[in-house]
Amino acid sequence: MKKSKLYTRTGDKGETSLVGGQRVSKASARINLYGNLDELNSYIGLSLCYIQEVRLKNTFKRIQDNIFVLGSNFASLKEDRENYNLPKLKEDELIHLEEEIDYFDTIVDPLKYFILPGGGVAASHIHICRTKSREVERQAVDLGDVERIDLEYLNRLSDYFFIVARFLNKIENIKDVAWVPNK
């Protein structure tokens, strides 16, 4: 079996192909969206280097799989998705995130104020995941060519990262840093 080359040279002039074969600019909103989704997935992978809890590791892996599902759909026009039998997010994935948010919310102290991102190394990485998922969500809304479940999942994802960052700080005995505006 002959191994194919990693590079194709088809994008050398600033264009790339969607799943349906359409050529688009690498600067298009769609390409930017799934590029940022890939960046989010990379931050999640980096964050996993700092996480020991099996429950978190399992959910993060599941999230990474779901990000690939989202990416494959964002890389195709809505009308083409059925033609290529692309995987779709299932309602179970949204429910799973909500259950995880609820679980960790019972462990952390009640939130009484806005907090600054940071704390321990793991929590700080997770805050980057949180803000990156918000960026991806904004871009998906702007694109408008996305499924309802995809937007709901992205919205829940940033909430999940927020509560996980708080949880990681708590188990490391690091207090949330309250934002106290200068008056």
Side-chain angles (χ1 to χ4, degrees), residues 8 29 37 40-41 58 64 70 73 78 113 147 150 174:
T8 63
L37 195 62
L40 169 60
N41 215 352
N58 290 339
Q64 286 190 299
L70 289 171
N73 281 277
K78 196 170 188 177
Y113 40 78
E147 304 295 331
D150 298 348
I174 299 171

Side-chain angles (χ1 to χ4, degrees), residues 16 18 24-40 74 132 135-136 139-140 142-143:
T16 191
L18 299 179
V24 297
S25 167
K26 289 184 177 183
S28 75
R30 181 178 303 281
I31 303 305
N32 196 34
L33 169 61
Y34 70 79
N36 278 310
L37 195 62
D38 186 37
E39 188 177 348
L40 169 60
F74 295 162
K132 196 67 186 176
E135 179 181 9
V136 169
Q139 290 175 325
D142 189 47
L143 184 65

Side-chain angles (χ1 to χ4, degrees), residues 108-177:
V108 299
D109 298 330
L111 195 58
K112 298 176 182 166
Y113 40 78
F114 287 107
I115 64 168
L116 298 175
V121 173
S124 296
H125 281 289
I126 301 303
H127 276 296
I128 294 171
C129 293
R130 175 185 58 79
T131 58
K132 196 67 186 176
S133 65
R134 282 287 185 215
E135 179 181 9
V136 169
E137 179 187 12
R138 289 189 302 272
Q139 290 175 325
V141 168
D142 189 47
L143 184 65
D145 185 14
V146 297
E147 304 295 331
R148 171 200 57 82
I149 185 75
D150 298 348
L151 289 177
E152 290 175 359
Y153 187 82
L154 289 169
N155 188 35
R156 224 60 91 244
L157 194 55
S158 57
D159 296 333
Y160 172 75
F161 289 135
F162 179 75
I163 200 71
V164 166
R166 292 193 67 222
F167 167 75
L168 290 170
N169 278 338
K170 181 171 180 74
I171 64 173
E172 290 184 38
N173 293 315
I174 299 171
K175 292 192 182 294
D176 290 327
V177 178

Side-chain angles (χ1 to χ4, degrees), residues 36-54:
N36 278 310
L37 195 62
D38 186 37
E39 188 177 348
L40 169 60
N41 215 352
S42 296
Y43 281 129
I44 294 168
L46 175 63
S47 298
L48 277 165
C49 296
Y50 300 97
I51 293 173
Q52 302 304 316
E53 294 74 19
V54 173

Side-chain angles (χ1 to χ4, degrees), residues 51-105:
I51 293 173
Q52 302 304 316
E53 294 74 19
V54 173
R55 183 179 188 134
L56 291 177
K57 284 179 175 272
N58 290 339
T59 297
F60 274 45
K61 170 66 171 78
R62 194 166 167 172
I63 290 168
Q64 286 190 299
D65 290 343
N66 289 332
I67 286 175
F68 263 75
V69 169
L70 289 171
S72 68
N73 281 277
F74 295 162
S76 65
L77 300 176
K78 196 170 188 177
E79 59 269 16
D80 287 345
R81 290 179 193 141
E82 293 298 322
N83 298 338
Y84 294 97
N85 198 26
L86 297 173
K88 295 180 181 180
L89 277 186
K90 295 181 175 58
E91 201 73 28
D92 300 9
E93 298 304 325
L94 185 62
I95 292 167
H96 175 72
L97 276 185
E98 290 173 347
E99 289 171 348
E100 291 299 289
I101 291 166
D102 292 342
Y103 170 78
F104 289 112
D105 197 35

